[in-house]
Amino acid sequence: MARDTSRDGLSNKALVYALSNFKPLWNLVQSYEPLKRKINKFFLNSIIYKIPTRPLPYSLMTLDPCIPGTNIPKKTDAYTSWDSLTDRTYTGRHLPPDPEFNKDGNLPEIKDLKVLFQKRDGKTIYSPKSTLLFPYWVQWFTDSFLRIDQQNRFKNTSNHQIDMCNVYGLTRKQTNLIRAFKDGKFKTQKLKRHDGVEEEYPLFYYADPENSIIDPQFEGLHAPLNDEKRQPPEKKAKLFAMGVERANVQIGYVMLNTLCIREHNRICDILSKNYPEWDDERLFQTARNILMVIVLNIIMEEYIFHITPYKFKFFADPEAFAKESWYRENWMALEFSLVYRWHSALPEKFIYDGKETPMYDSLWNNQMLIDKGLGALMEETCSQPGTRIGLFNTPDFPISGTPYTFIDATELASIKLGRQAQLASYNDYREMCGFPRVTDFNQITGDEYAQQKLKELYGHVDKIEFFVGLYAEDVRENSAIPPLVARLIGIDAFSQALTNPLLSPKIFNKDTFSPVGWEIIQNTKTVSDLVNRNVPPSDRKYKVSFNL
């Protein structure tokens, strides 16, 4: 059954149609630099200005019962204070709390919503567009800036930048613990894969994994998250000392961190050769700047291009946006965190070394990467599909050491957080983002089973919650994500990536990165570029792509 598109909005339809068609025209536009820059600026601004720009008038501070003298409001009494405008340890929010919408009895029991995420008849729906690299990349790079404080979920531990803290650490102290302080490099070791060829990896975190004794040189670094409960000694022995507590969580994460560590050290070698007078500190800091901009460019030009159906490829253009009203200090919002919870993109099983393997086996299992090697694992990852983002497709393997399953710990926990934060309804967020409010379930999805379940649980479209509505929408043709997800990502991601200090007009130049570093940046466009220059010499090029 086709979805009723009458509530998509004429201007929204026109924008999507124009960008998703006329490929020869867009190719022509992109071949002429001045016109390309003007079109890029026009479309990026048209996306970002769909909602009010930062500063955000509210944060989750107003709901925190831990602050003396505050209570969770019984009425819509959120207000703006100097603290709520400046204390970024509290997560921001786009719309004020709506206690009336979240009052007891208005919404379904959270446990009853599990059916919306469970696979229908146990069947996995695979993506027709995305390889498994796509969900691996998403988890890896969002973990560097979407960091909810586990002790107080209204707060965060984020630097509010795409700063690659997953590689470099959250603080200077943590960064220093993983630096070699020689030639600008990270501490690394050589490990043999199954065919005896050596590759470069971070050092191991534990000196004595049997007794959970860490290597003294890493005292003060984040301990690998929950490894005490989850990991046998043989797995703990292979956990790496890396920037954040989640960096060892899954082989995709470890693979991308390892890739960046190798690239950083490779850049240091090039810089050292060309600028022998530079000391260790300058080599490290310049290599870090170069790598961060490379990743920002990949996000803008390869990753964003993959998730949209558009024929025009957006790009970072530092000089174009510095005077825009949205060019403000970054502050991650809760809605942005929830919009990036793409657990349904991860399959129950994947192919490893030619064999079907439970995805659960790839958690905290660095030996899988060590045995196979970075290039071969990347290529195998990119030879198989990820799964479709949306309802009825989240894997539900058990979480070791807890009574919970993956759906309980991810999707239902996200709904619970949305209610604790008293988020407004799905329809309210559609309206905020420039979409007409839906009036019927068939305007959200053409899937009759999904319509039926949503109606049974919520009764009326106005009662659908933000998180559920995000993933109830159908994915557009040749896109990787549903429309409201895409809109919010475009607004938040573009406005927060393009404000990175390294992309400001006075910084984005050869003086900052060096002429050699500038050339590296200009000649690196894809993840494939990074992989194929950071693997042992081979007779062939590894195939690496977000696209099937």
Side-chain angles (χ1 to χ4, degrees):
M1 178 178 172
R3 183 178 66 87
D4 177 3
T5 62
S6 63
R7 305 298 293 172
D8 287 4
L10 184 59
S11 63
N12 295 319
K13 288 181 180 180
L15 178 67
V16 172
Y17 184 80
L19 286 170
S20 303
N21 293 279
F22 314 114
K23 185 176 180 180
L25 173 63
W26 294 126
N27 288 343
L28 180 64
V29 166
Q30 291 178 123
S31 68
Y32 182 56
E33 190 67 22
L35 181 58
K36 172 185 172 182
R37 291 186 64 198
K38 287 184 179 180
I39 295 295
N40 184 67
K41 180 177 181 178
F42 171 79
F43 280 128
L44 285 178
N45 274 333
S46 70
I47 292 169
I48 294 169
Y49 282 125
K50 288 289 185 182
I51 67 173
T53 58
R54 291 189 301 276
L56 302 172
Y58 310 106
S59 77
L60 298 189
M61 175 182 283
T62 57
L63 297 181
D64 189 355
C66 298
I67 300 177
T70 66
N71 291 291
I72 295 178
K74 297 295 186 275
K75 298 179 181 179
T76 309
D77 57 356
Y79 60 93
T80 301
S81 67
W82 179 249
D83 286 340
S84 71
L85 285 172
T86 58
D87 187 350
R88 294 193 301 165
T89 64
Y90 283 93
T91 302
R93 64 186 306 152
H94 284 295
L95 288 180
D98 188 342
E100 184 66 21
F101 177 75
N102 289 276
K103 69 181 181 182
D104 290 344
N106 190 51
L107 298 171
E109 293 286 333
I110 290 179
K111 62 181 176 60
D112 294 338
L113 298 174
K114 189 168 185 175
V115 67
L116 294 176
F117 303 95
Q118 292 172 321
K119 297 185 177 183
R120 209 176 308 176
D121 300 322
K123 294 180 180 178
T124 296
I125 306 170
Y126 287 92
S127 169
K129 183 176 186 180
S130 304
T131 68
L132 190 54
L133 177 61
F134 176 56
Y136 284 0
W137 176 275
V138 169
Q139 180 189 23
W140 171 75
F141 101 89
T142 59
D143 261 13
S144 70
F145 53 87
L146 298 175
R147 297 181 48 82
I148 288 178
D149 187 335
Q150 298 304 310
Q151 305 305 312
N152 181 345
R153 297 179 70 79
F154 290 161
K155 304 187 80 171
N156 65 81
T157 59
S158 176
N159 292 326
H160 300 278
Q161 291 283 0
I162 301 175
D163 63 355
M164 294 180 63
C165 66
N166 41 2
V167 176
Y168 289 99
L170 276 165
T171 66
R172 182 178 298 179
K173 178 182 178 181
Q174 291 163 353
T175 303
N176 289 346
L177 291 173
I178 53 180
R179 285 179 60 179
F181 285 100
K182 183 180 180 182
D183 302 325
K185 295 183 177 182
F186 283 108
K187 297 172 182 176
T188 59
Q189 61 181 322
K190 296 286 188 178
L191 299 174
K192 290 183 179 180
R193 62 193 194 202
H194 59 71
D195 61 1
V197 175
E198 288 189 332
E199 297 197 23
E200 185 180 25
Y201 293 94
L203 298 186
F204 293 129
Y205 179 77
Y206 286 104
D208 179 1
E210 186 78 37
N211 295 300
S212 298
I213 298 173
I214 71 169
D215 188 323
Q217 66 183 307
F218 299 126
E219 288 282 357
L221 190 65
H222 279 300
L225 184 67
N226 288 340
D227 71 288
E228 291 290 337
K229 295 179 180 179
R230 300 182 182 183
Q231 308 315 319
E234 60 269 22
K235 279 192 174 183
K236 292 174 74 171
K238 303 299 181 180
L239 298 180
F240 296 129
M242 294 189 287
V244 294
E245 72 283 1
R246 292 177 57 83
N248 288 278
V249 68
Q250 197 265 346
I251 57 166
Y253 203 131
V254 180
M255 183 168 63
L256 289 163
N257 252 27
T258 298
L259 172 62
C260 288
I261 289 167
R262 290 186 192 179
E263 175 67 2
H264 174 98
N265 285 357
R266 190 193 75 89
I267 293 171
C268 285
D269 283 336
I270 296 172
L271 294 175
S272 180
K273 181 179 178 180
N274 284 273
Y275 309 106
E277 71 280 8
W278 285 12
D279 62 11
D280 168 78
E281 186 67 14
R282 186 167 184 181
L283 289 169
F284 178 84
Q285 298 297 348
T286 306
R288 179 178 185 170
N289 289 344
I290 293 167
L291 182 55
M292 286 173 62
V293 169
I294 286 172
V295 170
L296 284 166
N297 281 341
I298 288 173
I299 290 168
M300 289 291 296
E301 297 188 35
E302 184 179 25
Y303 165 75
I304 294 291
F305 190 61
H306 169 74
I307 66 176
T308 70
Y310 302 157
K311 307 303 181 187
F312 181 83
K313 184 179 288 189
F314 299 121
F315 61 95
D317 185 3
E319 294 183 2
F321 302 106
K323 295 182 180 180
E324 297 295 333
S325 63
W326 57 258
Y327 200 87
R328 300 270 186 160
E329 183 179 46
N330 284 359
W331 193 329
M332 300 301 163
L334 178 60
E335 295 92 340
F336 191 36
S337 176
L338 294 179
V339 87
Y340 251 128
R341 300 194 176 197
W342 297 351
H343 309 110
S344 53
L346 203 64
E348 302 264 3
K349 298 178 180 180
F350 73 116
I351 304 300
Y352 173 76
D353 206 22
K355 299 176 183 177
E356 189 174 74
T357 305
M359 184 59 72
Y360 186 74
D361 289 353
S362 74
L363 304 182
W364 314 97
N365 192 350
N366 294 351
Q367 190 65 50
M368 297 177 81
L369 171 58
I370 296 167
D371 285 346
K372 196 166 181 67
L374 179 62
L377 182 58
M378 270 283 188
E379 185 168 79
E380 190 169 46
T381 296
C382 297
S383 69
Q384 53 191 300
T387 45
R388 190 207 66 188
I389 293 172
L391 299 184
F392 311 111
N393 210 35
T394 302
D396 202 24
F397 45 71
I399 302 298
S400 178
T402 78
Y404 302 108
T405 65
F406 192 59
I407 291 179
D408 294 313
T410 57
E411 316 293 30
L412 300 191
S414 298
I415 295 171
K416 182 179 179 181
L417 178 59
R419 293 187 184 184
Q420 290 171 336
Q422 300 184 359
L423 290 184
S425 71
Y426 160 67
N427 248 341
D428 287 341
Y429 279 100
R430 280 183 61 90
E431 188 172 43
M432 180 195 78
C433 290
F435 289 106
R437 300 174 73 91
V438 295
T439 57
D440 199 291
F441 294 98
N442 66 3
Q443 295 162 357
I444 303 170
T445 174
D447 185 330
E448 293 185 13
Y449 178 79
Q451 294 174 22
Q452 174 192 338
K453 290 300 177 185
L454 289 169
K455 189 170 185 178
E456 287 174 3
L457 289 162
Y458 288 99
H460 193 278
V461 289
D462 282 338
K463 290 191 173 184
I464 295 176
E465 296 167 86
F466 172 64
F467 185 78
V468 171
L470 282 173
Y471 299 104
E473 294 183 345
D474 291 340
V475 174
R476 285 192 298 242
E477 184 179 358
N478 197 35
S479 180
I481 50 179
L484 186 57
V485 172
R487 175 64 55 84
L488 280 161
I489 283 177
I491 292 166
D492 264 329
F494 286 140
S495 72
Q496 302 198 83
L498 292 168
T499 54
N500 189 287
L502 290 170
L503 297 183
S504 63
K506 289 184 179 180
I507 306 297
F508 190 69
N509 54 49
K510 292 180 183 179
D511 290 339
T512 299
F513 305 107
S514 79
V516 170
W518 187 256
E519 185 177 351
I520 294 171
I521 290 169
Q522 301 307 313
N523 292 328
T524 309
K525 302 296 182 184
T526 64
V527 182
S528 178
D529 291 337
L530 290 179
V531 171
N532 281 289
R533 66 191 187 208
N534 283 289
V535 293
S538 172
D539 292 333
R540 66 184 182 85
K541 183 178 180 180
Y542 290 105
K543 182 182 178 183
V544 178
S545 176
F546 292 122
N547 292 294
L548 284 171

